[in-house]
Amino acid sequence: MSKSKLLFITHEMSPFLDLTKISEITRQLPQAMQEKGYEIRILMPRFGNINERRNRLHEVIRLSGMNIIINDNDNPLIIKVASIPAARMQVYFLDNEEYFQRKYVFEDKDGKFYADNDERMIFFCKGALETVKKLGWAPDIIHCHGWMSALVPAYLKTTYKDDPTFKNSKVVYSIYEDDSKGTMNADFARKAVMGDMTDKHTEVYKPGTNSALYEGAIQYSDAIVIASENIDEDVLNNVKNSNKSVLEFNSTADFENYYNFYDEIVNEELAHVV
């Protein structure tokens, strides 16, 4: 039997970018799952403060050259890759000069949330799924980390639901403490619509707050991970009311709880097929 395929989508990962607890988990969890037999792929943005030379990033020509349309504008997508030799893992970086080549990540030097963070998020979520399609690699599980990946579940359950690459994929979303301090542009939900989606599909995201992004991700995901000890009460209530499979917060050294959770999700799908 072939290995189960596990895709991680995150906006940060150690040692490339350390902003919050997310960077530690997205560094350690993929390696732990690879050691337990999963085939792993990892995608993240190539922010301007990620040093290409030190991290030995290089462009993947066969994956680059796509354009991601946002608000009727074509935005070129460049794919780069780097390896973590100690873990024998490759990380794919999504790059775009306009959106990511900045000295700071989500806020300017004065601490102001970038006005186009909504478009940067849309670009990343769309670009991630298009990159996986171009890889020709169909994941069994897609695990999203951080607010910047919150649209991925919505796209997977609408525009990409019948796509051969994703039609059998299960999507898991991790909820973290104080993930984002900013609020999206008022036009965010409209811009996020793609393919045969309508405004109704993105309505849940419309307030543009961290809680709204989480609510949308929860609504469209197959399973939820509580990845921090202290989570906003409204968000926890949304998780509880969603009736989705939930992995409660439990910090284990070897991530055995995640392995069992993934296994349940994959086997649940196989049971439906049988």
Side-chain angles (χ1 to χ4, degrees):
M1 188 175 175
S2 61
K3 290 183 179 181
S4 292
K5 297 179 174 71
L6 176 54
L7 172 67
F8 291 93
I9 301 178
T10 178
H11 63 243
E12 61 178 287
M13 177 186 179
S14 185
F16 307 107
L17 183 65
D18 296 281
L19 299 173
T20 68
K21 182 77 174 175
I22 296 174
S23 67
E24 296 175 32
I25 292 178
T26 54
R27 168 61 184 86
Q28 297 163 5
L29 177 59
Q31 182 175 352
M33 293 305 105
Q34 181 171 264
E35 290 170 357
K36 291 178 187 294
Y38 275 97
E39 189 177 323
I40 303 295
R41 296 286 186 278
I42 304 163
L43 299 178
M44 67 177 287
R46 193 298 210 189
F47 290 112
N49 58 353
I50 296 174
N51 189 299
E52 282 204 8
R53 186 176 298 173
R54 187 171 64 239
N55 292 299
R56 298 183 179 178
L57 270 67
H58 61 271
E59 185 176 346
V60 186
I61 302 297
R62 73 179 182 90
L63 296 177
S64 298
M66 292 182 280
N67 283 309
I68 305 299
I69 300 171
I70 301 173
N71 219 19
D72 296 327
N73 294 317
D74 279 354
N75 303 276
L77 172 61
I78 303 297
I79 306 298
K80 297 174 180 176
V81 69
S83 296
I84 302 176
R88 292 180 292 108
M89 292 192 305
Q90 283 191 321
V91 181
Y92 291 91
F93 294 83
L94 281 66
D95 202 356
N96 174 275
E97 187 173 350
E98 183 179 345
Y99 287 139
F100 298 139
Q101 293 310 304
R102 304 173 188 182
K103 189 176 180 181
Y104 302 94
V105 182
F106 296 126
E107 301 168 346
D108 64 20
K109 60 182 175 61
D110 300 316
K112 186 178 179 183
F113 200 65
Y114 284 126
D116 67 347
N117 274 338
D118 60 336
E119 293 190 7
R120 299 170 87 208
M121 175 188 183
I122 295 166
F123 178 88
F124 177 57
C125 292
K126 287 183 178 181
L129 296 178
E130 287 300 313
T131 298
V132 176
K133 277 183 64 177
K134 205 160 184 178
L135 275 169
W137 187 80
D140 297 290
I141 296 173
I142 299 171
H143 193 165
C144 301
H145 298 259
W147 66 266
M148 205 177 183
S149 66
L151 283 169
V152 169
Y155 290 152
L156 285 167
K157 298 302 181 183
T158 54
T159 300
Y160 292 92
K161 69 179 184 296
D162 296 320
D163 190 288
T165 305
F166 301 112
K167 67 179 182 180
N168 296 319
S169 300
K170 289 286 189 175
V171 59
V172 179
Y173 192 82
S174 276
I175 303 290
Y176 290 89
E177 177 183 5
D178 296 332
D179 191 4
S180 169
K181 302 290 196 301
T183 300
M184 293 296 170
N185 188 295
D187 218 14
F188 163 59
R190 181 194 62 78
K191 291 181 192 175
V193 171
M194 73 173 295
D196 56 359
M197 293 173 74
T198 67
D199 290 344
K200 189 174 181 181
H201 289 118
T202 59
E203 190 175 358
V204 63
Y205 294 95
K206 197 170 184 178
T209 60
N210 191 61
S211 293
L213 298 182
Y214 274 172
E215 187 176 349
I218 291 164
Q219 179 177 307
Y220 285 107
S221 293
D222 295 297
I224 307 297
V225 173
I226 305 299
S228 299
E229 196 167 4
N230 301 306
I231 301 292
D232 180 86
E233 196 171 327
D234 289 338
V235 173
L236 282 177
N237 285 333
N238 279 331
V239 172
K240 185 178 179 180
N241 294 331
S242 71
N243 294 318
K244 305 288 174 72
S245 297
V246 178
L247 178 62
E248 300 290 348
F249 178 75
N250 181 16
S251 186
T252 59
D254 61 356
F255 294 101
E256 187 71 24
N257 54 340
Y258 281 83
Y259 177 78
N260 292 332
F261 192 57
Y262 293 146
D263 198 45
E264 286 172 17
I265 294 165
V266 171
N267 288 329
E268 184 180 274
E269 177 64 19
L270 288 174
H272 287 312
V273 172
V274 173

